[in-house]
Amino acid sequence: MDADYRRHVEEFDLERYWLVLKRRWVPATVVFLLCVAGALAAALSRDNLYRSRGSLLLEVDRSVSLTGVGEDISSLEPVGRIEPIENEASLARSSAVLTEVIDELQLKDDEDELVSPQLLRENLSIFPEAGTDLLNVTYTSENPQLSANVVNQLMTSYVARNIARNRARATAAREFVENQLPIAEANLKEAAESLRLFYLENRIVNVESRSNSILQTLDNLDNQANTLEFQLADMTMSIAEAQQLLGLSATQAREIESLSNSTAVQDTLAELVDIQTEIAKQQNVYTELHPQITTLRQTEASLQSLLNRRISEVLAPGSSLGSRSALELGDLQMSQLDSQLTAELVNAEIRRLSLIGQLESINAKRQQLLGDSANLPTLELQQRELQQALDIATRNYDALEQRLQASQLAENQVLATVSIVEEANVPRMSVDNDLPKLMALGILAGAFLGTALAFGLDLLDKSVKTVKDGSALFNYPVLGVIPRYSTPGGIFNRALASDGGEGYSPRIIANSSVKPMAAAAYQMLQSNLAFVSYGKVGKKTRSQVVTITSSVAQEGKSEVCANLAAVMAQTGKRVLLVDADMRSPSQHHLWNADNSAGLSNILFGETDLPVDRHRINENLSLLTAGTMPSNPTSLLSPERVKYLIEALSKQYDYIIIDTPPIAAGGDAAMMGEASDGTLLVFRPRWVDSANAFFAKSFLKRARTRVLGMVANNVNLKVEHHEYVAPIKGSVYPYDQDLFPEEIHANGNGLVGSSTVTSAASRNGK
């Protein structure tokens, strides 16, 4: 069996199962009625029963609400989607409670053994009273005293178990909190220690105070820097004025002051001045060549050399005065005013350098503080995270301490959330013999057995039952769904004949107002076929020749051919309907035409190609099958068929070829090979899966292009909604733009079923 079809049959589809019931409703209904009748007979034959009733009230423990402790334990809250009162009802009918009731009352069966909880539960009913917090407990028995005892004992046992359960819950809560408290305390200490280490590592008490301190310090440094810059500018101006008066730079003035304060330099300078004075005196008496003058010159040179040496000892290497070739005496001897100005210039330079150093120090410290402030956001984030962790740990620890105290106090309280409101009394009158319950069981059993029978019969039926099953089996796109319709006998349909005609078969309903839904279905088929016939990527390669066949006989392919040809002719196209079923021709019966000559005669060469031999109307013509040959397959040679179709294609826009079923022979494959595509007609609940698989494999081996399939004679009442809705939604069957919104909604232009689109995509068509 084909894997896709087997997977389709096995998949869970509620609508598919519903359709099975609709097909097999008669036997299913018979079984259902038999089960209901049996349940009714059993109910009428039972003995009198007595029922006792008591009530339980579910409420919050008021003592707990007064102390404010244990409210979470005693309050009733829904769990999931189940109401708390339903939970209590389930607990009340639990095996543990019922076992205690059995032990207390010593309930025994006929064999003098204690009954089982399951047996006691059969006659026990616990249900909530609508709109209240009351639980009603009833027990039905043939013994009235026993029914009252069971109800009272069950309520007593349940209240006791309720108290024990609530106390156990409080104990479990206390033990849990006691186990969690050391962990919470350790987490608290760890969070506090992490925050402390953070402050120590960063040498801060608080990031916010550190930020404020940095901002204040930066403000002070800015003020100091502004003051120093003002003083530096004033000092620089004073130095420039002094340099202008002395004609010396500050460095030179400092060097000259050093020379003026040097005793060795001044002594040598004094001796040099004395020698120069003596030379000036002797020059008035002697010439330069005189020995006295020569001696004095030598002494002068020696003193000059000594003076230069002592000057170099005082001055630093590379000094501005040392770079001179020779210092003038005036440079080494200054007046008192020049000396005072020089000293002031030197002091001013020293103060200027000091101010520069202070300003650089302030700027360096300012840059350091700016760098520290850039890290403040990170530190602040770390502090916030650590502080949040500490706060959370503190809250958790405090909450656990409070929970511990609450659970300890709640453990000692009586936390009963259920109380007995009304005890059961011994009933004096019997009740009905549980007729509704037995009837309900009968209905359920009948529904189950009837459904099982329906599915069993459907499973034994090997036919392909629905259009959806056929689509999954053949894996072809469903281009049309033709509903089942009945027509009166006689030939009376004259609507298609242009001149009134003699009338045609009532099964041709293409332009009939008698069966508008079926006519609309053929319109839909014509529209879908037109979309399938167009080529890819918008290139128009219209398939003018369409072969129509079926898997087996009696699937209605000839009616589909006739009605499809009539619908195509209504669009204004020239259409030729060819009856190529030379084994069992039927088109001449449908159209009330003469079949004395036709396709077989042309293939034999007995007659030429006819031109509108049987003209139905202006756009529709019929070529009948002609004389029935002994071996039709021998006539359908590829050369003859190809020549015939090429000749006919020149005269018509569309050629519809009616061929024998695939099970009857290979005629359909030969005609399909010469045509532009084959259309397979499928009738639900007529063809079985074996013949359907044979037809599918035959078409695949024949390499015939299958355009799609047409579901014919479909009972819409037992079909899937996706195939029924488009047909029932048709309003006027003669509209040439039939269902345009649905045509454009589907990507391949197919109307009426999601299966069309999916199957077409699987086939690549």
Side-chain angles (χ1 to χ4, degrees):
M1 184 178 290
D2 187 85
D4 291 338
Y5 179 67
R6 183 170 58 252
R7 184 164 52 252
H8 163 75
V9 172
E10 294 176 354
E11 70 180 1
F12 185 77
D13 187 349
L14 289 178
E15 187 179 8
R16 179 169 172 266
Y17 298 142
W18 170 244
L19 294 178
V20 171
L21 295 178
K22 293 179 69 174
R23 287 195 297 268
R24 310 292 179 178
W25 69 271
V26 174
T29 303
V30 172
V31 172
F32 175 78
L33 293 177
L34 290 176
C35 291
V36 172
L40 179 61
L44 296 176
S45 64
R46 296 191 63 177
D47 297 330
N48 292 333
L49 299 175
Y50 296 89
R51 179 177 299 148
S52 295
R53 176 180 175 275
S55 298
L56 292 170
L57 176 63
L58 279 65
E59 59 182 353
V60 177
D61 188 359
R62 299 305 175 190
S63 62
V64 171
S65 63
L66 290 175
T67 60
V69 179
E71 293 182 356
D72 59 324
I73 299 173
S74 61
S75 61
L76 295 175
E77 296 179 355
V79 179
R81 298 183 61 184
I82 303 176
E83 294 296 329
I85 196 168
E86 296 290 346
N87 293 335
E88 297 297 329
S90 299
L91 292 174
R93 66 171 67 95
S94 64
S95 297
V97 176
L98 297 182
T99 301
E100 185 174 343
V101 173
I102 294 171
D103 293 338
E104 290 292 333
L105 299 179
Q106 287 296 301
L107 302 177
K108 297 182 179 181
D109 55 16
D110 297 337
E111 299 178 357
D112 201 25
E113 294 183 357
L114 295 176
V115 300
S116 64
Q118 291 78 7
L119 184 60
L120 184 63
R121 191 181 291 118
E122 289 179 0
N123 298 320
L124 179 67
S125 177
I126 302 176
F127 56 93
E129 187 171 334
T132 66
D133 291 331
L134 292 177
L135 272 180
N136 294 320
V137 182
T138 63
Y139 184 74
T140 305
S141 173
E142 296 178 1
N143 187 342
Q145 184 64 48
L146 177 62
S147 64
N149 292 341
V150 169
V151 172
N152 290 330
Q153 183 59 48
L154 184 142
M155 292 191 297
T156 302
S157 300
Y158 177 66
V159 171
R161 283 185 170 272
N162 178 263
I163 295 174
R165 186 177 73 251
N166 291 338
R167 283 180 176 173
R169 193 179 302 171
T171 301
R174 175 185 57 76
E175 293 175 353
F176 174 78
V177 173
E178 288 178 348
N179 293 332
Q180 293 297 318
L181 197 59
I183 300 175
E185 184 178 3
N187 293 337
L188 177 61
K189 292 180 179 179
E190 182 181 356
E193 181 64 17
S194 299
L195 186 60
R196 187 184 68 81
L197 293 176
F198 170 77
Y199 288 142
L200 289 178
E201 290 176 359
N202 295 280
R203 298 178 181 179
I204 58 175
V205 177
N206 186 277
V207 176
E208 185 177 359
S209 61
R210 174 63 175 166
S211 177
N212 295 333
S213 175
I214 290 177
L215 293 177
Q216 185 177 1
T217 304
L218 286 174
D219 187 57
N220 294 334
L221 291 178
D222 289 339
N223 294 333
Q224 294 178 16
N226 292 334
T227 302
L228 290 176
E229 288 176 354
F230 178 77
Q231 294 177 359
L232 182 60
D234 184 60
M235 190 61 65
T236 302
M237 185 177 297
S238 299
I239 291 173
E241 292 177 356
Q243 288 177 347
Q244 185 176 5
L245 291 174
L246 293 174
L248 298 174
S249 65
T251 303
Q252 292 173 345
R254 186 168 60 254
E255 292 174 349
I256 290 175
E257 183 181 15
S258 299
L259 294 176
S260 299
N261 295 329
S262 175
T263 305
V265 173
Q266 293 300 321
D267 291 344
T268 304
L269 180 60
E271 291 179 5
L272 180 58
V273 171
D274 291 341
I275 289 299
Q276 289 178 347
T277 303
E278 184 63 25
I279 290 175
K281 290 179 181 180
Q282 293 298 329
Q283 283 179 344
N284 294 329
V285 180
Y286 303 106
T287 63
E288 287 292 329
L289 298 176
H290 192 275
Q292 186 69 27
I293 297 298
T294 303
T295 301
L296 292 174
R297 290 292 184 187
Q298 292 176 353
T299 302
E300 179 186 17
S302 299
L303 291 173
Q304 184 68 46
S305 176
L306 178 62
L307 178 63
N308 292 335
R309 187 167 63 255
R310 290 181 173 177
I311 288 173
S312 62
E313 292 175 356
V314 173
L315 300 178
S319 64
S320 59
L321 292 178
S323 62
R324 294 184 179 183
S325 60
L327 290 172
E328 298 179 0
L329 295 180
D331 294 336
L332 300 178
Q333 292 181 342
M334 303 176 65
S335 62
Q336 184 177 0
L337 178 60
D338 291 341
S339 178
Q340 182 178 359
L341 289 175
T342 302
E344 292 179 355
L345 178 59
V346 171
N347 292 333
E349 180 65 18
I350 292 172
R351 289 195 298 274
R352 187 182 71 83
L353 295 176
S354 175
L355 292 174
I356 292 174
Q358 295 178 25
L359 187 59
E360 291 177 351
S361 176
I362 288 174
N363 289 332
K365 189 173 182 180
R366 186 173 178 273
Q367 291 299 324
Q368 181 182 359
L369 291 176
L370 289 176
D372 293 342
S373 65
N375 296 328
L376 287 179
T378 303
L379 295 177
E380 185 177 1
L381 179 60
Q382 294 177 359
Q383 177 190 351
R384 187 183 302 112
E385 292 176 350
L386 293 174
Q387 186 64 47
Q388 289 177 352
L390 178 59
D391 294 341
I392 293 173
T394 302
R395 287 196 299 270
N396 290 341
Y397 182 76
D398 293 342
L400 286 175
E401 281 190 331
Q402 295 175 2
R403 282 290 186 182
L404 179 60
Q405 297 174 3
S407 59
Q408 289 173 346
L409 185 57
E411 190 176 2
N412 299 323
Q413 294 178 343
V414 179
L415 302 174
T417 58
V418 179
S419 61
I420 299 176
V421 176
E422 181 182 358
E423 293 186 350
N425 297 320
V426 178
R428 297 182 180 181
M429 299 181 62
S430 64
V431 296
D432 293 336
N433 56 356
D434 214 357
L435 177 62
K437 181 178 179 180
L438 291 177
M439 291 300 298
L441 291 176
I443 292 173
L444 290 176
F448 174 77
L449 295 177
T451 302
L453 177 63
F455 279 95
L457 294 175
D458 206 69
L459 187 63
L460 295 175
D461 184 3
K462 299 301 182 181
S463 66
V464 184
K465 302 170 184 64
T466 65
V467 178
K468 189 173 184 178
D469 293 342
S471 175
L473 188 150
F474 287 105
N475 203 19
Y476 298 146
V478 180
L479 302 183
V481 177
I482 311 303
R484 176 183 299 176
Y485 61 93
S486 60
T487 55
I491 299 177
F492 72 127
N493 189 346
R494 304 172 182 271
L496 290 170
S498 58
D499 56 353
E502 299 178 354
Y504 310 113
S505 171
R507 301 297 297 176
I508 303 176
I509 43 84
N511 197 27
S512 173
S513 60
V514 178
K515 302 294 178 180
M517 188 178 297
Y522 279 110
Q523 290 279 0
M524 199 180 302
L525 171 61
Q526 182 268 332
S527 298
N528 287 337
L529 185 61
F531 277 92
V532 170
S533 299
Y534 281 103
K536 302 179 180 178
V537 200
K539 183 179 179 182
K540 187 175 181 181
T541 56
R542 185 190 301 267
S543 298
Q544 293 183 340
V545 183
V546 178
T547 297
I548 298 180
T549 185
S550 61
S551 301
V552 295
Q554 302 300 318
E555 290 194 77
K557 61 173 180 58
S558 297
E559 289 184 9
V560 172
C561 291
N563 282 283
L564 178 61
V567 169
M568 287 182 172
Q570 292 174 7
T571 63
K573 303 296 182 180
R574 293 172 300 167
V575 181
L576 175 64
L577 175 59
V578 179
D579 190 352
D581 187 355
M582 292 178 285
R583 302 175 186 271
S584 179
S586 58
Q587 292 296 334
H588 62 285
H589 295 299
L590 292 173
W591 297 101
N592 194 21
D594 180 18
N595 192 31
S596 59
L599 178 63
S600 61
N601 304 95
I602 296 174
L603 295 176
F604 268 124
E606 297 176 357
T607 181
D608 295 331
L609 288 178
V611 179
D612 296 340
R613 180 176 181 84
H614 297 288
R615 185 168 180 173
I616 307 301
N617 56 35
E618 182 179 357
N619 295 319
L620 177 60
S621 299
L622 170 65
L623 177 59
T624 60
T627 305
M628 295 178 59
S630 58
N631 185 10
T633 306
S634 61
L635 293 179
L636 299 176
S637 64
E639 295 79 9
R640 292 178 181 177
V641 173
K642 184 177 180 181
Y643 171 77
L644 175 65
I645 290 178
E646 287 181 354
L648 294 176
S649 297
K650 299 177 182 179
Q651 305 175 34
Y652 300 96
D653 296 320
Y654 287 97
I655 299 176
I656 306 300
I657 303 176
D658 181 9
T659 62
I662 294 176
D667 300 8
M670 294 181 180
M671 296 301 295
E673 184 178 0
S675 64
D676 296 316
T678 298
L679 194 62
L680 180 66
V681 176
F682 154 70
R683 180 180 176 182
R685 301 196 66 186
W686 183 263
V687 60
D688 57 19
S689 57
N691 283 313
F693 278 117
F694 172 76
K696 178 181 177 181
S697 61
F698 178 83
L699 292 174
K700 185 177 181 180
R701 290 193 304 271
R703 298 181 181 180
T704 301
R705 181 194 176 196
V706 180
L707 302 177
M709 57 186 291
V710 180
N712 187 37
N713 199 23
V714 176
N715 185 359
L716 300 181
K717 296 180 180 180
V718 293
E719 279 296 334
H720 290 265
H721 178 73
E722 59 198 85
Y723 297 97
V724 176
I727 300 175
K728 290 187 175 181
S730 62
V731 178
Y732 189 66
Y734 312 114
D735 188 359
Q736 298 303 319
D737 296 327
L738 187 63
F739 307 123
E741 68 281 359
E742 297 181 8
I743 293 175
H744 295 297
N746 293 329
N748 57 359
L750 301 179
V751 181
S753 173
S754 59
T755 308
V756 176
T757 305
S758 60
S761 61
R762 291 193 299 269
N763 288 337
K765 296 185 184 297

